[in-house]
Amino acid sequence: MCELYSKPDTLALRGKHIGPSCKVFFAADPIKIVRAQRQYMFDEKDEQYLDCINNVAHVGHCHPEVVKATLQQMELLNTNSRFLHDNIVEYAKRLSETLPEKLSVCYFTNSGSEANDLALRLARQFRGHQDVITLDHAYHGHLSSLIEISPYKFQKGKDVKKEFVHVAPAPDIYRGKYREDHANPANAYADEVKKIIEEAHNSGRKIAAFIAESMQSCGGQIIPPAGYFQKVAEYVHEAGGVFIADEVQVGFGRVGKHFWSFQMHGEDFVPDIVTMGKPMGNGHPMACVVTTEEIAEAFSSCGMEYFNTYGGNPVSCAVGLAVLDIIENEDLQGNATRVGNYLTELLNKQKAKHTLIGDIRGIGLFIGIDLVKDHQKRTPATAEAQHIIYKMKEKRVLLSADGPHRNVLKIKPPMCFTEEDAKFMVDQLDEILTVLEEAIGAKAESVTSENAPSKTKMLKETHLGLLSDSTADSKENSSRKRNGVYTDKHSLLSKRLKT
């Protein structure tokens, strides 16, 4: 193990030389990670942490086959991708075999942000239109062109929504505009997109593209209702636009049954453009845009050459090929299904036990735990979520919280995650929820007692201390909370995709 600096020195140097906008996990008490193996990470004291965050280390941290492929190709050649080389065409061929037939033309980039930016260029060139429909709370990357279409980001800053950007409601049937008790939430959410298109046309604007993650990650682990994407694609195509599926977070078999998350929607739904990144190179910077021959030809006809110095370079493609081999050879899709089902089952038992858990949603190894203060009103438990992720860290389990209210615990671990890992994670969560709910319950009970003012004060201070980590997040999102009453007429599962 090698450390250049002590942890305090590392923090001091980061404060001096790294931009203050570049945040770290657990900012109030950051971890210094010095090595990792499969689903485990280790700090400078060699303490082991179970990694439930890293969808980047897709097949496992430092997988020996990925390391071997990288080293062998690095020893042989790495160069500008404008030289003819077999790796790029072999990878493109292998990748295309995982996709519907019409998605056959690849453009390689170095990051998901680059891929999404290029996807916008392809879409806009295809029909000559400019406008983009995006989902509320969406995040598609850090380039200026993507911040413009990412409400997750631009609603937090001073930037106002650009006139060519149209925001549709996130298809969230737990907390959104149309919920599980609605007769047809898929059509209702799709009709919101149709209204946006009609309003844009009435204003003389034209739609270039609709872009959405196949499952919204930053939006709070949202699984769109069955039929939603088909209907949206129909409306967008009628308007002359294209459908972009962002698989940067959720592709490469994470859902288990399918290699791509958009495939959950059935064979009758095929996007016009698919973007991918993070898991593609298992941490190596590699990303891609895949589209149809028709869209690729339209892009080429503009006369501007697309040039990316390192996109699809020999080393990146060697790494990508190793990742594809590992997914197949180690049956990681099957593992995602088996472990994901087991984990969901364990979490649903916790939901029945703990009042703070409002909803468990997810497919494969992409799961969200929506925490609430009130089941009927579905009031987001933002402060509680922040408290929980810090307490889980103390128990050597790494989780994050996201969503518009920062109240959804996100589970998206490396695909080698096991049933033993799932059991360990849930056991730690159970202990933390038990202590937290007891503290909250004791506080609530003591408030009604006029005979023990000192005890009331003590418990109130204890509770405030427990939840102090996320006061800012709670204030930041308070203006964006939605109201609505919970009715349990139909099961949540009846409106969600079946796999």
Side-chain angles (χ1 to χ4, degrees):
M1 194 185 315
C2 177
E3 276 190 277
L4 292 177
Y5 306 103
S6 67
K7 183 176 177 179
D9 287 347
T10 301
L11 279 167
L13 285 167
R14 185 178 180 93
K16 182 177 180 180
H17 296 298
I18 306 300
S21 298
C22 303
K23 304 297 184 183
V24 294
F25 283 125
F26 312 106
D29 182 25
I31 315 171
K32 184 176 183 181
I33 296 296
V34 298
R35 68 183 181 93
Q37 194 71 36
R38 295 184 67 79
Q39 65 271 45
Y40 304 107
M41 305 182 83
F42 300 84
D43 67 13
E44 79 282 8
K45 297 176 183 177
D46 212 31
E47 291 282 356
Q48 176 180 291
Y49 294 82
L50 177 61
D51 183 5
C52 302
I53 294 174
N54 251 299
N55 58 333
V56 179
H58 191 64
V59 299
H61 292 279
C62 303
H63 194 291
E65 292 302 317
V66 172
V67 173
K68 178 181 175 183
T70 308
L71 178 61
Q72 287 181 343
Q73 186 57 54
M74 281 288 284
E75 288 181 330
L76 191 62
L77 171 73
N78 196 28
T79 187
N80 190 306
S81 50
R82 296 182 80 169
F83 288 103
L84 193 64
H85 196 273
D86 287 343
N87 282 10
I88 189 170
V89 294
E90 173 63 10
Y91 186 82
K93 180 172 74 72
R94 288 274 304 275
L95 189 66
S96 298
E97 289 168 357
T98 69
L99 289 156
E101 187 176 357
K102 79 170 191 175
L103 293 168
S104 60
V105 182
C106 302
Y107 295 86
F108 289 97
T109 67
N110 303 294
S111 71
S113 290
E114 279 191 9
N116 280 331
D117 177 76
L118 178 57
L120 291 181
R121 288 178 59 192
L122 288 166
R124 286 168 168 159
Q125 176 64 30
F126 184 53
R127 297 294 190 197
H129 303 160
Q130 176 75 7
D131 289 28
V132 176
I133 302 173
T134 187
L135 294 178
D136 202 6
H137 315 307
Y139 175 65
H140 294 289
H142 60 79
L143 277 69
S144 296
S145 63
L146 304 174
I147 296 298
E148 290 175 346
I149 64 165
S150 297
Y152 179 81
K153 289 292 185 181
F154 71 62
Q155 287 181 357
K156 291 182 180 179
K158 295 180 180 178
D159 295 337
V160 296
K161 182 173 73 66
K162 302 295 190 293
E163 61 179 354
F164 56 81
V165 177
H166 310 275
V167 180
D172 179 357
I173 66 171
Y174 178 71
R175 191 177 293 285
K177 185 174 182 179
Y178 307 107
R179 300 186 175 185
E180 72 284 346
D181 59 330
H182 190 281
N184 193 331
N187 280 3
Y189 278 116
D191 285 344
E192 293 286 333
V193 176
K194 184 180 181 181
K195 288 177 192 174
I196 287 172
I197 292 171
E198 290 171 349
E199 289 169 2
H201 286 180
N202 290 338
S203 301
R205 307 196 67 87
K206 299 293 184 182
I207 303 300
F210 172 91
I211 184 169
E213 287 184 280
S214 301
M215 301 186 294
Q216 264 191 297
S217 181
C218 291
Q221 307 294 86
I222 305 302
I223 316 297
Y228 169 70
F229 278 160
Q230 283 94 329
K231 207 69 179 171
V232 169
E234 177 186 327
Y235 295 146
V236 171
H237 289 153
E238 287 174 357
V242 301
F243 193 111
I244 302 171
D246 181 341
E247 293 267 340
V248 171
Q249 296 252 23
V250 297
F252 291 86
R254 180 157 292 277
V255 295
K257 186 177 180 181
H258 302 284
F259 201 84
W260 303 103
S261 296
F262 73 79
Q263 292 172 321
M264 296 185 300
H265 295 269
E267 294 182 2
D268 61 331
F269 171 68
V270 180
D272 303 291
I273 301 173
V274 177
T275 60
M276 53 197 76
K278 294 185 190 301
M280 195 171 185
N282 208 54
H284 184 89
M286 184 183 190
C288 188
V289 180
V290 185
T291 190
T292 65
E293 290 184 4
E294 183 183 13
I295 292 174
E297 285 297 326
F299 188 57
S300 178
S301 69
C302 74
M304 183 185 296
E305 177 187 6
Y306 177 71
F307 172 51
N308 190 313
T309 304
Y310 294 112
N313 69 74
V315 171
S316 292
C317 290
V319 170
L321 287 166
V323 169
L324 292 179
D325 287 341
I326 294 163
I327 292 171
E328 182 178 351
N329 295 340
E330 298 185 8
D331 188 27
L332 293 185
Q333 281 184 249
N335 188 65
T337 297
R338 290 186 296 272
V339 178
N341 288 344
Y342 177 67
L343 178 52
T344 301
E345 179 184 334
L346 292 178
L347 289 172
N348 277 316
K349 290 178 180 177
Q350 293 299 311
K351 179 186 173 185
K353 179 179 178 181
H354 295 290
T355 57
L356 275 169
I357 299 179
D359 188 36
I360 303 296
R361 51 182 177 262
I363 298 173
L365 286 174
F366 181 89
I367 297 170
I369 306 171
D370 197 311
L371 300 175
V372 297
K373 295 178 183 178
D374 184 298
H375 271 252
Q376 185 176 10
K377 296 179 180 178
R378 303 186 181 184
T379 313
T382 301
E384 289 81 355
Q386 302 305 311
H387 168 75
I388 288 167
I389 64 172
Y390 274 87
K391 284 297 180 183
M392 288 291 279
K393 177 175 74 74
E394 290 178 11
K395 291 178 175 289
R396 306 294 185 258
V397 178
L398 304 181
L399 279 175
S400 63
D402 218 326
H405 306 285
R406 299 283 183 179
N407 70 305
V408 180
L409 302 182
K410 296 168 64 172
I411 303 170
K412 47 188 181 62
M415 295 277 281
C416 51
F417 205 71
T418 67
E419 290 187 355
E420 291 76 15
D421 297 326
K423 180 68 164 56
F424 177 75
M425 189 213 82
V426 173
D427 285 347
Q428 308 317 303
L429 181 62
D430 180 21
E431 289 182 17
I432 292 168
L433 285 170
T434 299
V435 172
L436 180 56
E437 288 172 348
E438 285 175 356
I440 294 171
K443 179 204 166 191
E445 184 178 336
S446 68
V447 167
T448 63
S449 172
E450 297 178 0
N451 300 319
S454 60
K455 181 180 179 184
T456 300
K457 183 179 179 182
M458 180 187 72
L459 287 167
K460 184 175 182 180
E461 289 174 350
T462 300
H463 181 52
L464 290 174
L466 283 171
L467 305 180
S468 62
D469 290 328
S470 61
T471 306
D473 281 330
S474 185
K475 289 180 180 177
E476 176 183 72
N477 290 295
S478 61
S479 62
R480 296 164 61 193
K481 292 179 181 177
R482 293 176 177 154
N483 297 321
V485 177
Y486 173 72
T487 53
D488 197 21
K489 294 179 182 176
H490 303 283
S491 166
L492 288 172
L493 294 175
S494 68
K495 299 294 173 66
R496 292 211 174 118
L497 291 162
K498 304 294 193 295
T499 58

